[in-house]
Amino acid sequence: MPHYLLASVPIHGHVTPLLAIAADLAGRGDRVTFLAGRRFAGAVTATGAEFLPLPADADYDDRLLAERKPGPGGIAGLRADITGTFLRPARAQYDALHVHAVASSTPPDVVIADPTFIGAALLAGHDREQRPPVVSAGVVPLTLSSPAVAPFGLARAPLRGPLNRPRNAVLHALVRRVLFAPVQAELDALFRAVHGRPAGAFLFDLQGTLDAVVQLSAPGFEYPRPDAGVPIRFAGPIIPASAGGELPPWWDELGTGRPVVLVTQGTIANTDPTELIRPTIDALADEDALVVVTTGGRPIAELGALPGNVRAAQYLPYDLLFPRLAVFVTNGGYGGVQYALAHGVPLVVAGATEDKPEVAARVAWSGTGIDLRTGRPAPAALRRAVRSVLGEPRYRSAAARLAGEIAAARGVDELVEVVDALRRGERLPIG
């Protein structure tokens, strides 16, 4: 039986999709080991996988990230996030991977890593004969550079017409030579410490140094990259069934005929409900809609007084909730957006941190919703956006098109096929 080693940074939204993959593979009778943060040990073993703890230098509690003193926004904030959250733990990640994937007496047949797990790129820096294949499981938007797309981090969709590539060339030069040059220097220093040479790839192109990318999305949500230098496959989101649990007493109200609007700030960027949840509540207080709030574990009392058309819970079973939704209002977490699209639910997105502006830009580009281009939208802007999404069929039609693509995707079977080909030493088609 094949042996899969999964690896993720200790962030809930990155671990959760890999847990679904682990459960599927373990259910097939395969051996699965999972390198993750200690707080996810129980969730890992519940899938049937063997838990491997990250070293202390690579482990942290993601729930504390949002409670840190607010840092800079925009590009400066993205630089700080990449450096502190993803780059500096990479050497410890690599050391753990080397122990479990190279030096082990029972090495895995493949390493499947979260794209922000930079230790996997360090492992892939070894000659192929010295390591197992390394595959990226795309739990965030594709970051790969291309003349056909603007550089990652600027949240700019491709232009139609002849100005697209000239614009992109200028932006790529700006990003590489100025905006992210300090981060690239730190990445190169890390590679020199391990391999005696610089990275050989720009920061956002590290996926291209791996053996394949299996993106957990649909082709229609990602910008086309006709010149990608790495095999890319789209598996669709891997969505686990909910764990069940008691439904709130108001659950039956979801079927009374009013459009249901869900708003959430996810499980990390949820410490300040005045960013998105409270403005949405205020925006829709007088609308003929039922507004459902999930707080991602935060106390409901933090929301303040709730209008009569608002229902709130810390968590809800999304597999039961999303088929009932008319609109999803979100700060742009990649997994939640994919979940909405899998159910054909159009979106209103307001995100300003991490990869959320990139997710929001893809929502607008794909026609599946509205990007408010801010992390703190005004109630009036939210009201207009929700009314537009409810009133204009093109958004739901685009979301339904993406739902069709996701339904046709092969999920974990796509990943297994890629892994099997790599194990046989086959050369996968590029792109």
Side-chain angles (χ1 to χ4, degrees), residues 111-140:
V111 172
I112 300 170
D114 151 28
T116 65
F117 196 93
I118 297 176
L122 286 167
L123 182 68
H126 290 291
D127 291 340
R128 178 64 185 82
E129 295 76 17
Q130 299 176 327
R131 60 166 177 83
V134 182
V135 176
S136 174
V139 301
V140 297

Side-chain angles (χ1 to χ4, degrees), residues 317-326 339 343 345 396:
Y318 274 11
D319 58 337
L320 301 179
L321 176 62
F322 270 75
R324 299 169 177 256
L325 296 184
Y339 210 112
H343 291 85
V345 178
R396 183 161 287 274

Side-chain angles (χ1 to χ4, degrees), residues 115 118 121 143-144 187 191 199 201-210:
I118 297 176
T143 65
L144 290 165
L187 175 66
F191 265 78
F202 181 57
L203 169 71
F204 294 134
D205 296 331
L206 287 177
Q207 278 182 305
T209 68
L210 309 186

Side-chain angles (χ1 to χ4, degrees), residues 381-403:
L382 281 160
R383 186 181 307 110
R384 287 192 300 269
V386 171
R387 285 177 176 175
S388 294
V389 171
L390 286 173
E392 299 179 30
R394 61 190 174 98
Y395 294 110
R396 183 161 287 274
S397 296
R401 172 176 52 80
L402 267 292

Side-chain angles (χ1 to χ4, degrees), residues 5 7 33 38 53 62 66 91 145 179 197 215 237 246 257 273 276 293 308 319 330 347 357-358 394 416:
L5 193 163
T33 50
R38 283 171 171 77
D62 61 316
R91 177 58 192 260
S145 300
L179 298 181
R197 58 171 175 80
Q215 192 68 16
E246 185 177 353
L276 180 60
V293 179
D319 58 337
T330 171
L347 303 110
E358 288 285 353
R394 61 190 174 98
V416 169

Side-chain angles (χ1 to χ4, degrees), residues 70-81:
I75 294 296
L78 183 58
R79 280 198 305 262
D81 287 336

Side-chain angles (χ1 to χ4, degrees), residues 63-378:
R63 294 168 297 186
L64 303 179
L65 295 178
E67 297 178 4
R68 297 182 306 193
K69 182 179 179 180
I75 294 296
L78 183 58
R79 280 198 305 262
D81 287 336
I82 291 172
T83 301
T85 305
F86 302 125
L87 187 55
R88 288 181 182 158
R91 177 58 192 260
Q93 295 170 355
Y94 163 77
D95 290 342
L97 276 182
H98 195 273
V99 167
H100 295 296
V102 177
S104 172
S105 60
T106 57
D109 295 292
V110 66
V111 172
I112 300 170
D114 151 28
T116 65
F117 196 93
I118 297 176
L122 286 167
L123 182 68
H126 290 291
D127 291 340
R128 178 64 185 82
E129 295 76 17
Q130 299 176 327
R131 60 166 177 83
V134 182
V135 176
S136 174
V139 301
V140 297
L142 279 173
T143 65
L144 290 165
S145 300
S146 166
V149 300
F152 186 85
L154 302 187
R156 295 181 182 272
L159 296 174
R160 291 184 174 88
L163 295 180
N164 182 48
R165 287 180 177 252
R167 178 205 68 167
N168 296 339
V170 172
L171 294 178
H172 279 296
L174 174 66
V175 164
R176 289 173 181 251
R177 298 174 187 174
V178 180
L179 298 181
F180 285 92
V183 185
Q184 184 66 32
E186 190 161 339
L187 175 66
D188 286 337
L190 177 62
F191 265 78
R192 285 191 187 93
V194 174
H195 297 293
R197 58 171 175 80
F202 181 57
L203 169 71
F204 294 134
D205 296 331
L206 287 177
Q207 278 182 305
T209 68
L210 309 186
D211 297 292
V213 175
V214 177
Q215 192 68 16
L216 305 186
S217 182
F221 191 71
E222 275 294 344
Y223 308 140
R225 289 169 171 80
D227 48 6
V230 63
I232 300 174
R233 299 291 181 272
F234 287 88
I238 313 300
I239 299 175
S242 66
E246 185 177 353
L247 297 174
W250 47 260
W251 183 262
D252 288 343
E253 296 181 48
L254 301 177
T256 57
R258 286 188 292 176
V260 179
V261 179
L262 170 66
V263 57
T264 184
Q265 291 178 204
T267 56
I268 295 181
N270 61 9
T271 58
D272 182 4
T274 66
E275 289 180 353
L276 180 60
I277 291 178
R278 190 68 225 188
T280 303
I281 291 172
D282 296 339
L284 304 180
D286 296 323
E287 299 292 302
D288 184 22
L290 184 65
V291 180
V292 175
V293 179
T294 57
T295 65
R298 305 292 299 185
I300 294 173
E302 293 181 359
L303 302 179
L306 301 180
N309 67 335
V310 175
R311 306 291 180 267
Q314 290 184 323
Y315 299 102
L316 289 171
Y318 274 11
D319 58 337
L320 301 179
L321 176 62
F322 270 75
R324 299 169 177 256
L325 296 184
V327 182
F328 180 35
V329 181
T330 171
N331 58 359
Y334 193 73
V337 168
Q338 300 305 313
Y339 210 112
L341 295 176
H343 291 85
V345 178
L347 303 110
V348 173
V349 188
T353 59
E354 298 94 30
D355 62 339
K356 293 177 174 63
E358 288 285 353
V359 175
R362 284 159 172 77
V363 166
W365 173 82
S366 64
T368 56
I370 293 174
D371 175 9
L372 292 177
R373 300 183 67 83
T374 177
R376 285 186 173 274

